[in-house]
Amino acid sequence: MTATFAIEVTRLSKRYGTTTVLDGVELSLVAGSRTALTGANGAGKSTLLAILSTLVSPTGGQVRIAGYDLQTQAVEVRRRIGVLGHRPMLYEDLTPLENLLFFAKLYGVANPRPRAEAFLEVLGLWSRRFEPVSVLSRGYHQRLAIGRALIHSPEILLLDEPETGLDAEGIELLDALMLREPAFTVLAATHRLDRIAGWADSTANIERGRLVSHQVSAEALAASR
Amino acid sequence: MNGALTVMRKDLVLLWRHRSGWLSAATFATMSVLTYSFAFDLVTDDVRPLLPGVLWVTFLFAGIIACSRSFADEVEQGTFDAMLVAPIPRSSLYLGKAVSNLAALLTIEVAVMLMATILFNTTLLTAELAFIVGVGTVGYVSLTTLLATLGSRVRSREVLLPVLALPLLVPLLIAGVRATGGALDVPNGDGPWLLLIVVFTIWSAVGSALLFPMVVEQ
């Protein structure tokens, strides 16, 4: 199935009781684009990413990811997305190698062991692959989480504050493996406005649950035509 | 099915590494049987009519302790969400969790029955009793695993799980005690109690597997 847009969000809304968290969000991202999602705390960035990740059901509207409907083809959507949050989402009593092997098997990756080991080398965790994750630093947790999110070769990356806990070297890895990697379509919620120009080709700004702007750089606009 | 096996294997490794959960349950079960043995020793010579109740009440509370942590740790570490964004059917996730809980509880139950055999001088390790306890435990774990998921995002989950589970488990408790009594030749143990256990187990397993996807949706 070919898709013009990697992510298509139409009139998306989310309400919890009487509280409206997202209100009529419209967003279309072409394949290969890299979009920074900005906005104040509580604006709805994390909720939008949670909906796109299939973790939260929308109240209204429609979402298509890689051409698949989020509501009716959720398993196909999950195959194609990689999710990285500000929490690393790792088993602390397993080792880095066991964590990556578990998620590789969960995603049905062929030859999971060589792939997991290759990631551990790239992420600088090879020498600590047999230690429990609980003894590793926060920065290493986040590095390993990058491996977890990429282990199944997703097409689309949904990132929520991905820089959390990373040192300068970790941020370089994040940039190289995720944010600047042309193979992916990236949508990343971030408060690091100083870094956006370094990796993003468009910026979507959310205020109080509404998408108030979506600015695409001139280069990206020209490339998409 | 591969997804369920992967989740089950991971949970069994974690059960072994992070022993506090099931060791608490095992310790509770051991202390419970030991205390009953001292108490009954003072009032009766024939403990067989009391044994079914001792066993099932011990199994029920030990199971609550063992199962309550199965999803709580996942939610606290965020790994539950990581599994939910994986392309495996929700039912596989449920099956993997339920089977690992079942393995932990059956291990505790075998230890309890061994201990009770020694303390109460009554043969408990028979094929009939093993079948009754085994089938009943499958039904029990099926329901408790679902309810543990329901309460996993709540702060007072340790209180919520028994409050939700025990009223629903009353039919199983009654049938389990009666059927176990029957196997121990206790009067009033006859009746379709084993059939009730089987029906409860099927209802619990099928219903929980169907409800699980809805429970994990936010």
Side-chain angles (χ1 to χ4, degrees):
Chain A
M1 186 177 287
T2 55
T4 315
F5 292 108
I7 298 175
E8 271 183 284
V9 178
T10 313
R11 292 191 299 278
L12 182 69
S13 64
K14 179 66 187 177
R15 282 190 294 278
Y16 292 103
T18 55
T19 308
T20 300
V21 183
L22 292 176
D23 186 10
V25 172
E26 303 258 355
L27 182 67
S28 298
L29 305 180
V30 294
S33 63
R34 292 184 294 278
T35 305
L37 189 60
T38 61
N41 290 331
K45 304 186 298 296
S46 294
T47 303
L48 175 60
L49 288 171
I51 291 173
L52 299 182
S53 309
T54 74
L55 284 171
V56 173
S57 300
T59 309
Q62 200 189 22
V63 178
R64 294 187 79 80
I65 291 189
Y68 293 97
D69 184 80
L70 190 80
Q71 303 270 54
T72 59
Q73 296 168 296
V75 171
E76 291 303 324
V77 169
R78 290 184 196 122
R79 270 187 232 288
R80 287 161 177 82
I81 58 171
V83 179
L84 177 65
H86 44 83
R87 297 177 69 197
M89 304 198 286
L90 299 165
Y91 291 96
E92 296 196 354
D93 291 318
L94 296 183
T95 66
L97 179 60
E98 287 168 335
N99 265 284
L100 290 187
L101 280 175
F102 169 68
F103 286 107
K105 287 175 186 169
L106 214 54
Y107 279 90
V109 172
N111 301 319
R113 197 173 185 94
R115 184 154 176 82
E117 288 177 346
F119 265 111
L120 289 171
E121 290 230 44
V122 171
L123 294 165
L125 286 161
W126 181 252
S127 62
R128 312 197 69 174
R129 65 192 182 282
F130 297 130
E131 295 178 31
V133 166
S134 58
V135 305
L136 302 180
S137 70
R138 177 74 181 86
Y140 279 142
H141 285 194
Q142 196 68 356
R143 286 190 194 199
L144 187 56
I146 292 173
R148 175 190 52 70
L150 295 177
I151 194 83
H152 59 294
S153 309
E155 299 167 27
I156 296 161
L157 298 181
L158 303 168
L159 317 176
D160 192 359
E161 307 285 351
E163 294 99 346
T164 308
L166 288 173
D167 57 11
E169 194 186 339
I171 285 179
E172 274 180 35
L173 276 171
L174 175 75
D175 286 348
L177 296 174
M178 290 184 141
L179 296 175
R180 289 185 191 156
E181 169 54 55
F184 303 126
T185 304
V186 178
L187 178 62
T190 183
H191 288 290
R192 294 287 304 271
L193 303 182
D194 57 313
R195 284 187 17 87
I196 289 175
W199 62 266
D201 55 25
S202 73
T203 305
N205 188 35
I206 290 190
E207 282 180 18
R208 294 180 187 175
R210 287 173 172 270
L211 189 75
V212 292
S213 69
H214 182 201
Q215 295 173 328
V216 183
S217 72
E219 295 89 343
L221 209 55
S224 67
R225 281 175 182 156
Chain B
M1 201 61 193
N2 281 345
L5 280 173
T6 304
V7 172
M8 185 196 72
R9 274 195 219 108
K10 177 266 300 172
D11 272 6
L12 290 176
V13 170
L14 286 173
L15 271 174
W16 182 247
R17 299 244 174 104
H18 194 73
R19 297 179 189 91
S20 62
W22 65 269
L23 272 181
S24 307
T27 306
F28 164 80
T30 307
M31 296 312 292
S32 170
V33 173
L34 202 61
T35 309
Y36 278 124
S37 81
F38 290 135
F40 293 160
D41 204 28
L42 298 173
V43 292
T44 180
D45 290 331
D46 185 12
V47 292
R48 280 183 311 133
L50 304 171
L51 256 180
V54 170
L55 290 177
W56 279 92
V57 168
T58 303
F59 295 160
L60 243 59
F61 283 105
I64 294 275
I65 296 169
C67 293
S68 66
R69 295 304 305 172
S70 66
F71 279 98
D73 288 339
E74 298 265 10
V75 170
E76 281 166 16
Q77 294 176 14
T79 47
F80 193 46
D81 284 346
M83 283 200 289
L84 289 178
V85 298
I88 59 164
R90 305 294 202 223
S91 50
S92 295
L93 186 52
Y94 168 77
L95 188 63
K97 279 277 170 198
V99 171
S100 60
N101 281 341
L102 182 67
L105 192 54
L106 282 176
T107 307
I108 292 169
E109 287 175 350
V110 169
V112 165
M113 288 172 82
L114 267 172
M115 194 176 166
T117 297
I118 297 164
L119 289 173
F120 296 111
N121 198 23
T122 305
T123 306
L124 291 172
L125 295 171
T126 63
E128 189 181 6
L129 262 182
F131 184 74
I132 292 167
V133 171
V135 175
T137 306
V138 172
Y140 171 66
V141 166
S142 303
L143 184 65
T144 316
T145 301
L146 176 78
L147 296 175
T149 319
L150 199 64
S152 60
R153 294 178 197 270
V154 180
R155 201 173 295 169
S156 55
R157 55 183 159 259
E158 278 82 7
V159 179
L160 189 66
L161 181 58
V163 168
L164 289 174
L166 293 178
L168 292 170
L169 291 166
V170 166
L172 178 67
L173 179 67
I174 292 170
V177 169
R178 292 290 195 178
T180 305
L184 293 172
D185 295 327
V186 174
N188 302 324
D190 295 334
W193 301 113
L194 185 56
L195 180 66
L196 181 56
I197 293 175
V198 171
V199 170
F200 180 93
T201 298
I202 294 170
W203 167 80
S204 167
V206 174
S208 299
L210 291 174
L211 283 173
F212 185 79
M214 283 178 249
V215 168
V216 296
E217 292 296 330
Q218 291 179 46

